[in-house]
């Protein structure tokens, strides 16, 4: 795990304070979606399937800030849609950073050349650029040629200007251990991004392509083979060792989707940003009025093949911090 030491200490202290206060459920990271519109039509994403009137909407900056204040999460992932299409996205980021909230701006990178001058490097800010494979695989995933090369150029420009750059890569059943190795080697060794996040694709109900999402056993076999030969220790992951164990099938966890709540134009989404069982008007309502025990593998059929980080990475983090052995392991691997 390659999270900066300052950030690790901040998050660890935050979790300890919540435990001391007796809070059973609290957020580690807020998934903030200030718009659903996007400049791509990726086959595995259902966000742009919203009605036209919803796609035209943009969340006011003050509404976004209020959601962060309301839940109290120390980290925010701004996604969408494509957040760089939001006309005030730079103001939103700047005000969150001023509050010393760690911000990850998730983007397909196509608009970075146009927008980068509106952002400043900060220990509290990172670009999170989606790269779902090497050139051919990525361009096929986003349904547009040339996007991989533009994203790579954007990564290099962000690095040149001193920004922290992370990546997010989703894998599908068309991937093999070798395609996983190829893209992670490239991101780690050639592009030298600061951190990499990986996730098996989840079957969004509205996603145009419903045929290529991974099952649990497929996921475990894929990552077990890709992680072999020392790759896992060598790659700079933005994941806890226990979550990587989970992906390999070395351990299993219950879903704790409440730890990464999702707030969008429609409200607080139940139970997570991957599923939609309605929306709560407030964060408190989301936490207190959602039957969290009804979700997760073995409890809801829709969750049967989900191994996404939004549900299981928090569980791994909590398990790490309650074990001296795993805490030392996480420090050593970082």
């Amino acid at each position: 795990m390659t999270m900066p030491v300052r950030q690790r200490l901040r998050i660890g202290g935050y979790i300890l304070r919540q435990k001391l206060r007796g809070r059973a459920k609290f957020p580690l990271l807020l998934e903030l979606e200030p718009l659903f519109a996007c400049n791509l039509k990726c086959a595995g994403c259902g966000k742009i399937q919203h009605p036209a009137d919803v796609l035209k909407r943009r969340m006011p900056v003050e509404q976004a800030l209020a959601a962060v204040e309301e839940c109290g999460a120390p980290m925010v992932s701004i996604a969408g849609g494509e957040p760089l299409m939001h006309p005030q996205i730079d103001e939103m980021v700047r005000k969150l950073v001023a509050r010393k909230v760690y911000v990850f701006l998730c983007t397909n990178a196509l608009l970075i050349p146009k927008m980068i001058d509106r952002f400043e490097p900060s220990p509290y800010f990172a670009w999170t650029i989606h790269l779902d494979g090497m050139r051919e695989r990525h361009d096929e995933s986003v349904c547009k040629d040339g996007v991989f090369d533009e994203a790579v150029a954007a990564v290099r420009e962000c690095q040149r200007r001193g920004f922290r750059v992370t990546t997010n890569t989703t894998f599908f059943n068309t991937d093999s251990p070798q395609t996983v190795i190829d893209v992670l080697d490239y991101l780690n060794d050639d592009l030298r991004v600061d951190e990499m996040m990986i996730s098996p694709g989840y079957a969004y109900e509205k996603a145009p392509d419903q045929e290529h999402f991974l099952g649990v056993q497929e996921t475990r076999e894929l990552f077990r083979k890709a992680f072999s030969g020392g790759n896992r220790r060598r790659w700079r992951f933005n994941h806890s060792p226990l979550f990587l164990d989970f992906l390999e099938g070395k351990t299993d966890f219950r879903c704790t989707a409440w730890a990464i709540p999702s707030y969008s134009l429609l409200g607080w989404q139940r139970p997570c940003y991957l599923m939609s069982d309605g929306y709560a008007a407030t964060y408190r309502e989301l936490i207190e009025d959602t039957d969290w025990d009804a979700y997760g593998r073995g409890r809801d059929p829709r969750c049967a093949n989900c191994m996404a980080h939004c549900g299981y990475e928090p569980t791994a983090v909590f398990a790490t911090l309650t074990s001296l052995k795993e805490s030392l392991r996480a420090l050593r691997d970082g």
Side-chain angles (χ1 to χ4, degrees), residues 237-253:
F237 283 126
N238 184 18
H239 293 295
S240 63
L242 277 178
F243 180 72
L244 299 177
D245 285 351
F246 168 74
L247 290 181
E248 287 193 69
K250 292 180 177 179
T251 189
D252 203 6
F253 293 122

Side-chain angles (χ1 to χ4, degrees), residues 75-100:
M75 299 183 288
V76 176
S77 174
I78 305 179
E82 171 50 57
L84 289 180
M85 292 176 64
H86 193 295
Q88 296 172 292
I89 189 62
D90 55 321
E91 179 185 353
M92 191 180 298
V93 168
R94 187 165 55 253
K95 289 186 174 181
L96 287 170
V97 166
R99 290 164 167 77
K100 295 186 177 181

Side-chain angles (χ1 to χ4, degrees), residues 207-223:
D209 180 0
Q210 290 289 319
E211 298 180 4
H212 296 123
F213 293 102
L214 286 159
V216 170
Q217 294 306 318
E218 290 176 301
T219 296
R220 289 170 174 168
E221 181 178 0
L222 177 68
F223 288 114

Side-chain angles (χ1 to χ4, degrees), residues 20-306:
L20 291 174
R21 292 170 182 167
R23 294 184 68 185
K25 293 181 175 64
F26 52 88
L28 284 181
L29 178 144
L30 170 64
E31 289 280 357
L32 178 65
E33 295 179 312
L35 79 173
F36 293 124
C38 191
N39 51 354
L40 289 175
K41 299 179 180 180
C42 303
C45 178
K47 296 297 182 179
I48 63 168
Q49 306 305 317
H50 285 285
D53 62 316
V54 175
L55 293 177
K56 291 177 181 178
R57 293 172 57 189
R58 304 291 184 264
M59 184 183 294
V61 171
E62 293 308 317
Q63 182 180 341
L65 297 176
V68 178
E69 293 287 344
E70 182 184 358
C71 73
M75 299 183 288
V76 176
S77 174
I78 305 179
E82 171 50 57
L84 289 180
M85 292 176 64
H86 193 295
Q88 296 172 292
I89 189 62
D90 55 321
E91 179 185 353
M92 191 180 298
V93 168
R94 187 165 55 253
K95 289 186 174 181
L96 287 170
V97 166
R99 290 164 167 77
K100 295 186 177 181
V101 174
Y102 288 97
V103 178
F104 299 87
L105 181 57
C106 303
T107 173
N108 59 41
L110 296 181
L111 293 175
I112 285 181
K114 177 182 177 181
M115 300 288 289
I116 194 170
D117 287 338
R118 293 165 62 176
F119 296 85
E120 295 181 0
S122 166
Y124 294 96
F125 175 70
W127 299 99
T128 298
I129 295 176
H130 295 271
L131 281 167
D132 287 345
M134 297 302 290
R135 182 178 291 105
E136 182 178 349
R137 295 190 68 79
H138 180 70
D139 287 355
E140 180 181 7
S141 175
V142 301
C143 304
K144 185 177 181 180
D145 292 339
V147 175
F148 177 86
D149 290 334
E150 291 190 54
V152 167
V155 169
R156 296 194 188 282
E157 179 62 14
C158 291
Q159 291 171 326
R160 187 186 72 80
R161 294 191 184 211
F163 286 97
R164 185 170 180 78
V165 180
T166 67
T167 54
N168 185 10
T169 303
T170 305
F171 295 105
F172 300 89
N173 65 12
T174 51
D175 277 291
S176 67
Q178 191 57 53
T179 64
V180 175
I181 291 169
D182 287 345
V183 68
L184 295 182
D185 271 351
Y186 179 74
L187 297 174
N188 193 83
D189 302 336
D190 293 281
L191 272 188
R192 299 193 62 78
V193 299
D194 292 284
E195 297 171 343
M196 302 180 296
M197 186 169 67
I198 59 176
S199 185
Y202 174 80
Y204 278 100
E205 183 180 355
K206 295 182 179 181
D209 180 0
Q210 290 289 319
E211 298 180 4
H212 296 123
F213 293 102
L214 286 159
V216 170
Q217 294 306 318
E218 290 176 301
T219 296
R220 289 170 174 168
E221 181 178 0
L222 177 68
F223 288 114
R224 185 165 55 245
K225 291 180 178 179
F227 289 166
S228 65
N231 285 329
R232 175 175 152 174
R233 290 289 301 275
R234 187 172 58 81
W235 289 328
R236 292 184 299 279
F237 283 126
N238 184 18
H239 293 295
S240 63
L242 277 178
F243 180 72
L244 299 177
D245 285 351
F246 168 74
L247 290 181
E248 287 193 69
K250 292 180 177 179
T251 189
D252 203 6
F253 293 122
R254 288 184 61 132
C255 173
T256 50
W258 47 263
I260 301 186
S262 176
Y263 182 74
S264 72
L265 292 162
L266 304 178
W268 295 94
Q269 186 169 327
R270 293 190 175 100
C272 65
Y273 82 96
L274 295 171
M275 290 170 55
S276 180
D277 280 356
Y279 297 83
T282 66
Y283 173 72
R284 183 173 181 177
E285 179 187 335
L286 172 75
I287 295 300
E288 295 183 355
D289 294 351
T290 302
D291 183 4
W292 298 103
D293 290 333
Y295 297 102
R297 285 185 290 111
R299 288 171 281 168
D300 187 315
R302 295 170 298 175
C303 304
N305 290 312
C306 180

